[in-house]
Amino acid sequence: VVVSTMVGCAHGIRAVVPTDVPKAIGPYSHGISAGNTVYVSGQLPIDPKTGALLKDASIEDQTRMVLSNIRTVLAAEGLTLANVVSTTVYMKDLNDFGKMNEIDCKSFTKDAPARSCVEVARLPKDVLIEIEAIALLK
């Protein structure tokens, strides 16, 4: 079940609020739809079915869960990872880049999105990875 709420009716901006993703841990929307663009907030490796934080899981498993959560937000707007044009990956340790990259490459088509990846001192809930995405209606 997907609930969309209007944020700025005059500008066609609305929140994307899927019910089958982990609850937001702050005052933000999982996504914002504006015109033909959907902005997906940074997703963490939280299992939406159990609410369990995969904090102690491998970088591979955390990356898979984050991408699954992104897929769910996109699906609320009828989109898939094929609609993603850009991602930003925040990692606790760039030594895990190769392992993350392997999972990321399997998730996107040959026309992978533009991507930035940065190492950060700390992420919410002390996870290893957070990914945000921008998608376009095609």
Side-chain angles (χ1 to χ4, degrees):
V1 175
V2 175
V3 178
S4 292
T5 55
M6 297 307 287
V7 174
C9 297
H11 302 291
I13 298 170
R14 62 187 166 72
V16 178
V17 189
T19 57
D20 46 356
V21 292
K23 185 179 182 209
I25 61 172
Y28 61 88
S29 299
H30 283 289
I32 293 290
S33 178
N36 70 340
T37 307
V38 175
Y39 301 88
V40 179
S41 295
Q43 298 295 304
L44 299 178
I46 300 173
D47 186 327
K49 294 176 184 163
T50 65
L53 177 69
L54 303 183
K55 181 179 174 183
D56 296 324
S58 68
I59 188 64
E60 295 94 338
D61 287 342
Q62 287 194 27
T63 302
R64 283 185 197 97
M65 181 55 61
V66 167
L67 290 169
S68 176
N69 290 339
I70 290 172
R71 278 187 198 92
T72 301
V73 176
L74 292 170
E77 291 296 301
L79 304 175
T80 69
L81 290 179
N83 296 93
V84 173
V85 295
S86 179
T87 61
T88 303
V89 179
Y90 303 94
M91 298 183 69
K92 186 173 181 176
D93 185 352
L94 278 179
N95 288 317
D96 288 334
F97 179 84
K99 294 174 184 176
M100 176 281 300
N101 196 52
E102 187 176 316
I103 302 304
D104 195 64
C105 287
K106 291 177 183 176
S107 299
F108 292 97
T109 63
K110 65 180 176 103
D111 297 322
R115 182 181 75 187
S116 296
C117 184
V118 295
E119 182 177 271
V120 295
R122 191 170 179 202
L123 289 164
K125 305 280 188 184
D126 292 319
V127 297
L128 301 176
I129 190 166
E130 177 177 356
I131 302 174
E132 63 185 27
I134 298 171
L136 296 179
L137 301 170
K138 290 185 180 178

